[in-house]
């Protein structure tokens, strides 16, 4: 009995020690033109901020402690100004972060936190571009020409610097948030997303930002990934499957009779179908029409002689369009003989050149 009691006491002590070891101590200074009466520390749950601690600064200084089992994204609100900033605190650390509160909450100094240093560097790189973009949005038409030229010069340089920064620190949890800076230019930065996902998924599989970039990569339909199948009805009511064309080079073409750019591209697709069909080129056309007669008339008028025409006549809620995340048309996906995506949105000369490259003529 004594031995059992001793073991229980020892385990309790070890558990208490482990909890104590996870405490992060945070302190720093506040300066700037905006006063702060409270710092509200929030965890992020979905799209909501959930307060977990309120800190009252004194004489321009603040300090608090948190229990963290692992780094996690938090958001600080500086009240009453509503200025906000993101933070990630490493457990077992004694971290110092100084803020300057003006038109935003700027980090002026970081000590003993690799995560916060990464965030500080990111803000310092991205803020000049963000500031110039804000100036452009409110400028007159006369001013926009010069500001636009400046933006065009600044964007590629800034993007490259941020890419290099995130790539060098891809194993930092903050990178899962920072990489979303490129969401509007995702396809050109998909490799960076993959680097961050691969570096963090094993360590933080349940982190919302890590899960987000993982899902984004899985649904992005990047070159080299398998093309999802589509199973829809032809005008005659026959079920046609995209996967039935495996072994062919397939142009998956999302279009509609009412889409001017689609109709203007159709003669080019017809020309290429005639040229390469006997070499193994097929077209699988998914119409986003709602009017069956208009769909069939457009097929006839444009000479779309291939047999693979499908539609559920649900317009933008087309099941095929949903599978490929179609939000605008024309949208095309070129698929290889192995069923994997070769390229997206090739049209005109670009499509012709790619087919010439594939078929060698």
């Amino acid at each position: 009995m004594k031995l059992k009691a001793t073991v229980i006491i020892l385990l309790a002590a070890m558990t208490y020690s482990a909890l104590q070891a996870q405490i992060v101590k945070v302190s720093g200074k506040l300066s700037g033109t905006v006063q702060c009466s409270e710092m509200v520390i929030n965890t992020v749950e979905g799209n909501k901020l959930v307060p977990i601690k309120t800190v009252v600064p004194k004489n321009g200084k603040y300090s608090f402690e948190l229990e963290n089992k692992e780094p996690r994204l938090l958001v600080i609100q500086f009240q009453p100004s509503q200025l906000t900033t993101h933070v990630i605190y490493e457990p077992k650390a004694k971290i110092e972060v100084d803020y300057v509160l003006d038109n935003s909450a700027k980090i002026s100094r970081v000590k003993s936190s690799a995560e916060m240093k990464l965030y500080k560097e990111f803000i310092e790189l991205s803020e000049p571009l963000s500031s110039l973009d804000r100036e452009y949005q409110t400028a007159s038409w006369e001013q926009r020409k010069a500001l636009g030229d400046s933006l065009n010069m600044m964007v590629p340089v800034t993007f490259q610097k941020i890419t290099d920064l995130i790539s060098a620190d891809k194993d930092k949890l903050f990178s899962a948030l920072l990489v979303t800076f490129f969401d509007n230019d995702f396809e050109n930065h998909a490799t960076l997303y993959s680097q961050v996902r691969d570096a963090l998924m094993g360590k933080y599989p349940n982190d919302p930002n890590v899960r987000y970039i993982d899902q984004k990569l899985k649904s992005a339909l990047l070159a080299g990934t398998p093309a999802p199948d589509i199973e829809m009805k032809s005008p005659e009511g026959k079920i046609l499957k995209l996967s039935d064309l495996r072994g062919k080079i397939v142009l998956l073409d999302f279009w509609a009779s009412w889409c001017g750019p689609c109709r203007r591209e159709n003669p080019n697709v017809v020309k290429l179908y005639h040229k390469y069909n006997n070499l193994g080129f097929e077209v699988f056309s998914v119409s986003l029409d709602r009017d069956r007669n208009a769909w069939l008339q457009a097929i006839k008028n444009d000479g779309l002689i291939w047999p693979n025409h499908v539609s559920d006549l649900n317009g933008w809620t087309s099941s095929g369009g949903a599978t490929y995340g179609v939000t605008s048309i024309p949208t095309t996906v070129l698929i290889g003989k192995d069923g994997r995506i070769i390229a997206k949105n090739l049209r005109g000369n670009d499509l012709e050149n790619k087919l010439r490259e594939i078929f060698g003529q």
Side-chain angles (χ1 to χ4, degrees):
M1 290 295 292
K2 287 184 179 180
L3 179 60
K4 186 175 181 181
T6 301
V7 171
I8 292 173
I9 292 171
L10 179 60
L11 288 174
M14 290 172 63
T15 302
Y16 177 76
S17 176
L19 286 173
Q20 286 294 96
Q22 301 301 320
I23 288 178
V24 55
K25 298 181 179 181
V26 187
S27 63
K29 298 177 181 178
L30 302 179
S31 61
T33 58
V34 174
Q35 297 299 309
C36 175
S37 59
E38 286 185 346
M39 298 169 62
V40 182
I41 317 299
N42 302 271
T43 188
V44 183
E45 297 182 6
N47 294 323
K48 294 182 179 180
L49 297 180
V50 179
I52 58 174
K53 197 174 195 71
T54 298
V55 180
V56 178
K58 294 182 179 179
N59 300 320
K61 297 180 180 180
Y62 72 92
S63 64
F64 62 92
E65 295 182 355
L66 284 177
E67 281 189 5
N68 271 9
K69 292 183 178 180
E70 62 182 24
R72 58 175 173 159
L73 182 69
L74 302 170
V75 173
I76 297 180
Q77 293 174 306
F78 298 92
Q79 304 290 16
S81 66
Q82 297 296 317
L83 293 178
T84 62
T85 187
H86 294 91
V87 297
I88 292 179
Y89 301 131
E90 297 95 319
K92 309 179 187 178
K94 187 176 181 180
I95 299 169
E96 297 178 22
V97 184
D98 294 347
Y99 294 99
V100 178
L101 306 180
D102 288 314
N103 59 328
S104 63
K106 298 182 177 67
I107 301 172
S108 59
R109 184 182 69 95
V110 174
K111 182 179 178 181
S112 303
S113 174
E115 293 282 355
M116 292 302 295
K117 284 180 181 177
L118 171 59
Y119 186 53
K120 180 176 184 291
E121 290 182 58
F122 170 81
I123 294 299
E124 289 171 349
L125 287 176
S126 62
E127 178 54 30
L129 180 60
S130 298
S131 178
L132 186 59
D133 183 61
R134 288 193 296 269
E135 187 179 353
Y136 178 86
Q137 298 302 328
T138 58
S140 65
W141 289 109
E142 294 77 12
Q143 295 170 318
R144 284 193 171 190
K145 175 63 170 67
L147 290 172
D149 291 342
S150 297
L151 276 171
N152 289 336
M153 293 176 61
M154 186 181 290
V155 165
V157 175
T158 302
F159 276 22
Q160 188 58 56
K161 288 180 178 179
I162 293 175
T163 297
D164 293 342
L165 174 68
I166 295 173
S167 182
D169 286 293
K170 56 183 176 289
D171 59 337
K172 302 289 189 300
L173 186 57
F174 240 133
S175 290
L177 174 67
L178 303 188
V179 75
T180 62
F181 174 83
F182 294 115
D183 268 6
N184 290 334
D185 194 32
F186 170 75
E187 291 195 12
N188 289 326
H189 294 86
T191 299
L192 182 62
Y193 279 73
S194 296
Q195 290 177 1
V196 173
R197 188 267 313 274
D198 294 345
L200 295 175
M201 182 57 75
K203 293 192 293 183
Y204 309 112
N206 297 318
D207 180 81
N209 289 301
V210 175
R211 290 203 308 268
Y212 170 79
I213 60 176
D214 179 53
Q215 187 57 44
K216 192 169 184 68
L217 284 163
K218 287 178 178 177
S219 61
L221 305 174
L222 301 172
T225 60
D229 202 7
I230 290 178
E231 185 174 333
M232 299 176 71
K233 288 184 179 181
S234 71
E236 296 76 30
K238 180 182 178 181
I239 295 293
L240 300 181
K241 296 172 66 176
L242 176 63
S243 58
D244 286 341
L245 299 179
R246 185 69 58 86
K248 307 277 190 178
I249 300 295
V250 180
L251 181 71
L252 174 60
D253 186 11
F254 294 92
W255 74 296
S257 64
W258 45 260
C259 169
C262 304
R263 303 291 296 274
R264 289 193 291 272
E265 175 65 11
N266 278 344
N268 183 57
V269 178
V270 171
K271 178 187 74 173
L272 295 174
Y273 181 79
H274 282 296
K275 183 174 182 179
Y276 293 112
N277 176 244
N278 64 341
L279 298 178
F281 176 58
E282 289 290 348
V283 181
F284 193 94
S285 294
V286 180
S287 168
L288 270 62
D289 275 289
R290 290 185 177 274
D291 185 324
R292 185 176 187 275
N293 291 332
W295 171 37
L296 298 183
Q297 192 63 48
I299 292 173
K300 180 180 178 180
N301 290 349
D302 291 4
L304 311 184
I305 62 172
W306 46 88
N308 305 299
H309 289 277
V310 297
S311 181
D312 53 19
L313 299 177
N314 285 332
W316 287 112
T317 59
S318 159
S319 60
T323 298
Y324 280 78
V326 174
T327 58
S328 64
I329 53 175
T331 289
T332 64
V333 183
L334 190 64
I335 302 169
K337 295 179 180 180
D338 59 357
R340 293 181 177 273
I341 294 172
I342 296 174
K344 293 168 63 179
N345 292 323
L346 295 179
R347 291 187 287 276
N349 291 335
D350 291 336
L351 176 58
E352 186 170 6
N353 291 339
K354 177 56 72 172
L355 292 178
R356 185 183 300 116
E357 175 187 320
I358 292 170
F359 292 109
Q361 55 181 277

